[in-house]
Amino acid sequence: METELNDKQLQIMQKALEVFAEKGFDSASVRDIAQRADVNVAMISYYFGSKEKLLEAIFLNNTNSMKGKIENIIHSRAHGPMEKVDLLIDTYVNVIIENRTFHSLMMREQVLLKDGPLYTYVRDMKRRNRSLIEVAVKAGQKAGIFQKNIDVSMLAITLFGSVNHFFSNYKFLCEDFKIKPTDGDFDIKAIEKLKGHIKIMFKAFLTYGISNKK
Amino acid sequence: METELNDKQLQIMQKALEVFAEKGFDSASVRDIAQRADVNVAMISYYFGSKEKLLEAIFLNNTNSMKGKIENIIHSRAHGPMEKVDLLIDTYVNVIIENRTFHSLMMREQVLLKDGPLYTYVRDMKRRNRSLIEVAVKAGQKAGIFQKNIDVSMLAITLFGSVNHFFSNYKFLCEDFKIKPTDGDFDIKAIEKLKGHIKIMFKAFLTYGISNKK
DNA sequence: TTGAACTAAACAAACGTTTAATTAATTTTT
DNA sequence: AAAAATTAATTAAACGTTTGTTTAGTTCAA
């Protein structure tokens, strides 16, 4: 399962990811992918077995890649609990920006996931992300600077939901903010707005009812 | 454009919505839809012109329906600004539950929307929802019980993002909460958790830095 | 010489849509 | 009110594409 990927395979996967994200998995034809990757159509079946398994390979590859990046947070010699939460927010947003094409694809296809490899990859990634929040929250509570009444699952929904919604609705947001949506890239100011808002909101919530005596 | 819809058309639209939400627009075949709606395949082209226009009819119908329900908030003789925010949260969640099938479809297809009728329907609905938050926030600020430093666009992202994420990830959440995902229906306790969490979070954020002297 | 990499062509299946014919309902004319 | 004419609703079949995949053969490197 964990076989090495040669250059041609990676090339196909990269172009396929683009086409999948652009048109959706079902509308993306293997001929289109093959053409953009500059290979023969038969190479997709030859290397991956099927279009479906090509998607699986892409999911496995990208969820693993994101896993590595997110888990760097753990090894950061971190400061206080609040700073850890801020770091988590920054990192999550940055990772999504780095993997924006895959993230867009995943957002679209996750709704239809039944049991199967894709479901497992996505579920495990979500679990890992959630548990990072849990660790940070419990640390803050232990230190006495976070309130006790915190539902971590719901907090995770707020964080990931807000960030995902921001990127999913970026096209609509550009109209609100009067930003020209430069193809593929996000407006830095908008990103900072997002990060700042979530940080303040989380701080307000996490410290709700905690007196500020130093 | 605003022609009346006869029973057969409504029947097709309803079944089509189910199939679209279940398989995604592209994977849903007109033959499948026709079979479930118990009509001949040709009736879809006959009544709607094309599969694409059938989708448009569904979007127009449902966004209008949701518009009506959400705007009931305005006409509620409401209490204080904070109660209005709570009402907004409750209503939005309830409307999504009522229209869960369409909401699921919209979540999936909105990413691919270019210009066109669908984009307009969705964009206008989002704008209306956002402006409801804006009104409530400004009222609270005027009354002096909400803090001044509030980015309404970002607050809207947090609200709608959290709620949408909750429903999009309901399948995953059930595993976390050890709920059996009853087909189509949502767990009442989980819904109350969601509403409660967002309300507390919003209260903490909106009143952040406001002293509680009565 | 053996096996992997690669290709053009063919494959059957499924797709959305159209056609041509028929039945049902409605309107117009007698 | 009955008959005729017209329009709407409905059907099975066919249309031309496009789909993902396979096949049979060729090129290339070891």
Side-chain angles (χ1 to χ4, degrees):
Chain A
M1 173 61 80
E2 207 66 29
T3 55
E4 314 253 324
L5 297 164
N6 62 40
D7 288 355
K8 214 122 212 175
Q9 283 174 303
L10 288 171
Q11 185 184 346
I12 294 172
M13 286 168 68
Q14 188 208 307
K15 292 296 179 183
L17 171 56
E18 290 175 20
V19 183
F20 286 156
E22 189 180 307
K23 306 191 173 183
F25 176 74
D26 291 304
S27 297
S29 77
V30 288
R31 284 174 175 80
D32 190 359
I33 294 167
Q35 197 175 337
R36 292 211 218 176
D38 199 33
V39 299
N40 188 282
V41 219
M43 297 308 291
I44 289 173
S45 297
Y46 178 74
Y47 275 128
F48 298 96
S50 68
K51 185 187 173 189
E52 186 88 31
K53 285 191 184 150
L54 168 57
L55 181 69
E56 287 175 20
I58 291 172
F59 262 68
L60 179 60
N61 199 47
N62 283 78
T63 47
N64 274 343
S65 155
M66 288 171 81
K67 175 182 177 182
K69 289 171 189 165
I70 291 264
E71 283 180 347
N72 284 341
I73 301 174
I74 300 173
H75 307 112
S76 78
R77 56 189 138 298
H79 329 71
M82 191 61 82
E83 284 75 17
K84 267 210 162 152
V85 170
D86 286 350
L87 179 65
L88 181 58
I89 294 167
D90 282 330
T91 308
Y92 184 67
V93 172
N94 290 339
V95 166
I96 288 189
I97 292 175
E98 269 187 76
N99 301 60
R100 60 185 80 115
T101 313
F102 174 71
H103 182 259
S104 165
L105 173 64
M106 189 180 64
M107 284 291 96
R108 189 184 143 81
E109 303 300 337
Q110 69 168 359
V111 192
L112 303 186
L113 297 185
K114 311 279 173 195
D115 319 309
L118 295 194
Y119 182 86
T120 310
Y121 301 154
V122 174
R123 185 200 59 194
D124 291 347
M125 194 174 69
K126 286 177 188 294
R127 281 198 188 151
R128 285 193 300 269
N129 293 344
R130 198 204 92 117
S131 79
L132 285 179
I133 298 184
E134 190 162 25
V135 171
V137 166
K138 286 194 172 163
Q141 286 173 325
K142 201 164 189 177
I145 58 175
F146 290 177
Q147 57 136 326
K148 294 290 172 194
N149 185 27
I150 294 171
D151 186 324
V152 176
S153 285
M154 288 299 159
L155 193 66
I157 286 171
T158 307
L159 172 57
F160 302 128
S162 300
V163 177
N164 293 350
H165 193 73
F166 175 89
F167 290 107
S168 297
N169 290 60
Y170 187 70
K171 226 183 304 174
F172 298 102
L173 275 174
C174 284
E175 292 196 36
D176 283 0
F177 290 164
K178 280 149 194 161
I179 297 170
K180 308 175 202 168
T182 49
D183 247 18
D185 257 332
F186 294 109
D187 185 81
I188 298 173
K189 284 182 189 168
I191 298 286
E192 291 310 315
K193 263 191 185 179
L194 172 70
K195 288 179 179 174
H197 170 75
I198 298 179
K199 285 178 191 170
I200 292 175
M201 179 155 235
F202 269 45
K203 185 172 187 180
F205 174 68
L206 292 170
T207 65
Y208 189 58
I210 303 271
S211 54
N212 277 12
K213 50 192 169 192
K214 279 213 174 183
Chain B
M1 174 59 81
E2 205 67 28
T3 55
E4 313 254 321
L5 297 163
N6 63 40
D7 288 356
K8 214 121 210 175
Q9 284 173 302
L10 288 171
Q11 185 184 345
I12 294 172
M13 285 167 69
Q14 188 208 308
K15 293 294 180 183
L17 171 55
E18 289 175 21
V19 184
F20 285 155
E22 189 180 306
K23 306 190 173 183
F25 175 74
D26 290 305
S27 298
S29 77
V30 289
R31 284 174 176 81
D32 190 358
I33 293 167
Q35 197 175 336
R36 292 210 218 177
D38 199 33
V39 299
N40 188 281
V41 220
M43 297 308 290
I44 288 173
S45 296
Y46 178 74
Y47 274 129
F48 299 96
S50 69
K51 185 186 173 188
E52 186 88 31
K53 284 190 185 152
L54 168 58
L55 181 69
E56 287 175 20
I58 291 172
F59 263 68
L60 179 59
N61 199 48
N62 284 78
T63 47
N64 274 344
S65 157
M66 288 171 81
K67 175 183 177 182
K69 289 172 189 165
I70 291 263
E71 281 179 349
N72 285 340
I73 302 174
I74 299 173
H75 308 110
S76 79
R77 54 190 141 298
H79 328 71
M82 191 62 82
E83 284 77 15
K84 269 210 160 151
V85 171
D86 285 351
L87 179 66
L88 180 59
I89 294 167
D90 282 330
T91 308
Y92 183 67
V93 172
N94 291 339
V95 166
I96 288 188
I97 293 174
E98 270 187 76
N99 302 58
R100 61 186 80 113
T101 313
F102 174 70
H103 183 259
S104 165
L105 172 64
M106 190 180 63
M107 283 292 95
R108 188 183 145 81
E109 303 300 337
Q110 69 168 357
V111 191
L112 302 187
L113 298 184
K114 310 281 173 194
D115 318 308
L118 295 193
Y119 182 86
T120 310
Y121 301 154
V122 174
R123 185 200 58 194
D124 291 348
M125 194 174 69
K126 286 177 188 291
R127 281 196 189 154
R128 285 194 300 270
N129 292 344
R130 197 204 92 118
S131 78
L132 284 178
I133 298 184
E134 190 163 24
V135 170
V137 166
K138 286 193 173 163
Q141 286 174 324
K142 202 165 188 176
I145 59 175
F146 290 178
Q147 57 134 328
K148 294 292 172 192
N149 185 28
I150 295 171
D151 186 324
V152 175
S153 286
M154 287 301 159
L155 193 65
I157 286 171
T158 307
L159 172 56
F160 303 128
S162 300
V163 177
N164 293 350
H165 193 74
F166 175 89
F167 290 108
S168 297
N169 290 61
Y170 187 71
K171 226 182 305 172
F172 298 103
L173 275 175
C174 283
E175 291 196 36
D176 282 0
F177 290 164
K178 280 150 194 161
I179 297 171
K180 308 175 201 167
T182 49
D183 247 18
D185 257 332
F186 294 110
D187 185 80
I188 298 172
K189 284 182 190 167
I191 298 286
E192 291 310 315
K193 261 190 185 178
L194 172 69
K195 288 178 179 174
H197 169 76
I198 297 179
K199 285 178 191 171
I200 293 176
M201 179 156 234
F202 270 44
K203 186 171 187 180
F205 174 68
L206 292 169
T207 65
Y208 190 58
I210 303 272
S211 54
N212 276 13
K213 49 192 169 191
K214 281 212 175 188

